[in-house]
Amino acid sequence: MTTEQRPLRADAQRNLERITASAQVLFAERGTRAQMEDIAAHAGVGIGTLYRRFPTKEALITALVRQRFQEFAAIAAECEHITDPYEALATSMRRQAESIEGDAAFQLAMMNIDNFSWDGIDEDKSALNAILSRIIERAQAAGAVRADLGVEDYGMMMCGTTATMYFMHGEHGWQRHLDLVLAGLKPS
Amino acid sequence: MTTEQRPLRADAQRNLERITASAQVLFAERGTRAQMEDIAAHAGVGIGTLYRRFPTKEALITALVRQRFQEFAAIAAECEHITDPYEALATSMRRQAESIEGDAAFQLAMMNIDNFSWDGIDEDKSALNAILSRIIERAQAAGAVRADLGVEDYGMMMCGTTATMYFMHGEHGWQRHLDLVLAGLKPS
DNA sequence: ACCTGAACACCGTTCAAGT
DNA sequence: ACCTGAACACCGTTCAAGT
């Protein structure tokens, strides 16, 4: 909950941004095991300051995850403009997956590692889902995908793809998983 | 590496079995965060004893994961006897997935959480893959699945399915993910 | 208001002492 | 050979003191 109620004092705002940026870098690099102390040091602040903004490590990660979800929504919104209804759907998934390729922590998060409570993430998720629903319905109207496809399926497939992304780094990467899954979407 | 070189002294053997069983229970219940001390207590031994058999928590989990892989191989071997070539493949995936439904730690492990080194697991994996290759080839010869399907795809799909299993507990569960993925296997 | 870092708590791991 | 548990180390989190 990167709560930005009353504007922060200028230096505090700068610190907050540094913290978020450092956290993004270190978590992406090292996954969930990046250490709070290291993040604070990387941001050039004391740990106390970090904890003043984010009460727990979980809260910090949640903030980053929410940013990613907002990016997902932006990507989906762009893909809605693609003329071909099937490509709109497929491209959305592919581009979202590409956007998190270097971010180990988000991949872990996406798999719900450590049973995070994901405070506030439902808002972001439903904003995203609203767009995705439209994309899916258009594809269905065009007969490009199976009639029983739902938004939950979309999330599920992204979850599966993310898992293979984290798991397998070889040439047979997550693209392959996504291809298989996309092939399964065609009407039978 | 549950190394069983020279037979253990009777009491030590009994302790080892208790440890493995307790670890299985607690990890399944609580995921990777089950504590070593709790496992030792549950098994009725001191922590020192636990560490005498398994040098690290990782090694303990690895041992359990290897057991699961061996079970996977047993399941695959049974499924090889199914007459319908497509069903042999689909049933193998479905039954393997079912077998780990209650085991949170394995699900996490399957997703390579914490970058475990998976000592020795390659052996188990290749034993399993040998069987799976035969099942896949038979399905391909029968024209029941796409010609470009490989064993790595099998692992990838199980990985994705496991992730959704851990991630989503609703009615739209992992079965749905598996269905979508299986649908994608049919020759186009 | 916000910053700092020493101190605390928790849990994985070690090791000296015991049988 | 094997067992035990007190002690250590590491890292997330707190809080008293300072600006």
Side-chain angles (χ1 to χ4, degrees):
Chain A
M1 281 251 233
T2 328
T3 357
E4 45 219 292
Q5 15 211 27
R6 302 300 142 215
L8 293 170
R9 215 170 63 184
D11 58 338
Q13 177 62 32
R14 208 167 32 244
N15 281 341
L16 173 58
E17 280 158 21
R18 276 199 196 132
I19 290 171
T20 322
S22 298
Q24 176 62 43
V25 171
L26 294 191
F27 279 131
E29 237 176 65
R30 309 178 192 173
T32 321
R33 3 183 209 187
Q35 292 167 216
M36 294 298 265
E37 200 119 18
D38 288 351
I39 292 171
H42 188 280
V45 302
I47 345 152
T49 305
L50 202 176
Y51 274 93
R52 162 166 262 263
R53 295 298 156 222
F54 303 96
T56 64
K57 185 174 184 178
E58 184 173 323
L60 177 53
I61 297 183
T62 301
L64 298 179
V65 170
R66 294 193 64 179
Q67 283 189 3
R68 288 285 183 194
F69 267 92
Q70 286 156 22
E71 267 181 59
F72 275 12
I75 292 176
E78 282 180 35
C79 291
E80 219 182 338
H81 296 130
I82 297 177
T83 323
D84 183 295
Y86 177 80
E87 281 308 318
L89 180 59
T91 305
S92 173
M93 296 191 65
R94 208 165 336 246
R95 286 196 38 209
Q96 287 179 0
E98 276 164 10
S99 78
I100 58 168
E101 239 189 315
D103 191 341
F106 180 80
Q107 292 160 212
L108 286 165
M110 189 72 178
M111 303 186 247
N112 200 22
I113 271 29
D114 291 337
N115 303 96
F116 284 142
S117 52
W118 298 141
D119 203 2
I121 224 160
D122 287 334
E123 296 171 41
D124 302 307
K125 213 187 259 180
S126 52
L128 171 59
N129 281 348
I131 308 176
L132 294 178
S133 296
R134 292 200 299 269
I135 295 183
I136 291 174
E137 277 159 29
R138 182 156 69 99
Q140 280 169 334
V145 299
R146 359 154 91 196
D148 68 343
L149 199 71
V151 231
E152 324 79 46
D153 292 324
Y154 189 103
M156 198 172 297
M157 294 182 307
M158 282 302 292
C159 172
T161 302
T162 305
T164 58
M165 186 183 289
Y166 188 82
F167 191 60
M168 343 197 89
H169 301 90
E171 30 185 323
H172 240 74
W174 59 269
Q175 290 91 344
R176 174 67 173 173
H177 183 273
L178 190 51
D179 286 345
L180 289 175
V181 141
L182 285 172
L185 297 189
K186 301 266 169 67
S188 49
Chain B
M1 281 255 233
T2 331
T3 358
E4 45 219 294
Q5 15 209 27
R6 303 297 142 220
L8 293 169
R9 216 169 65 183
D11 57 339
Q13 176 63 31
R14 207 167 32 243
N15 280 342
L16 173 58
E17 280 158 20
R18 276 199 195 134
I19 290 170
T20 321
S22 298
Q24 175 62 45
V25 171
L26 293 191
F27 279 131
E29 237 176 64
R30 307 178 194 176
T32 321
R33 357 183 214 187
Q35 292 166 216
M36 294 298 267
E37 199 119 17
D38 288 351
I39 292 170
H42 188 280
V45 303
I47 346 154
T49 306
L50 202 176
Y51 275 93
R52 162 166 264 263
R53 295 297 156 222
F54 302 97
T56 64
K57 187 174 183 178
E58 184 172 323
L60 177 53
I61 298 183
T62 300
L64 297 179
V65 170
R66 293 192 66 177
Q67 283 187 5
R68 288 284 183 195
F69 269 92
Q70 286 155 22
E71 267 181 58
F72 275 11
I75 293 176
E78 282 180 37
C79 291
E80 219 183 339
H81 296 130
I82 297 177
T83 323
D84 183 293
Y86 178 80
E87 282 307 318
L89 179 58
T91 306
S92 173
M93 294 191 66
R94 207 162 341 245
R95 287 196 38 209
Q96 288 179 0
E98 276 165 9
S99 77
I100 59 167
E101 237 188 317
D103 190 341
F106 181 80
Q107 291 160 214
L108 285 166
M110 188 72 178
M111 303 187 250
N112 200 21
I113 271 31
D114 290 336
N115 303 95
F116 285 143
S117 53
W118 299 140
D119 205 1
I121 225 162
D122 287 335
E123 295 171 41
D124 302 308
K125 212 186 261 183
S126 52
L128 172 58
N129 280 348
I131 308 176
L132 293 178
S133 296
R134 292 199 300 268
I135 295 183
I136 291 174
E137 278 161 27
R138 182 156 68 99
Q140 281 169 333
V145 300
R146 1 154 88 194
D148 68 343
L149 199 72
V151 233
E152 324 78 45
D153 292 324
Y154 189 104
M156 198 171 298
M157 295 182 307
M158 283 302 293
C159 172
T161 302
T162 305
T164 58
M165 185 183 290
Y166 187 82
F167 191 60
M168 342 198 90
H169 301 92
E171 31 184 323
H172 240 74
W174 59 268
Q175 289 90 348
R176 174 67 174 173
H177 182 275
L178 191 50
D179 285 347
L180 288 175
V181 140
L182 285 172
L185 297 189
K186 301 269 170 64
S188 49

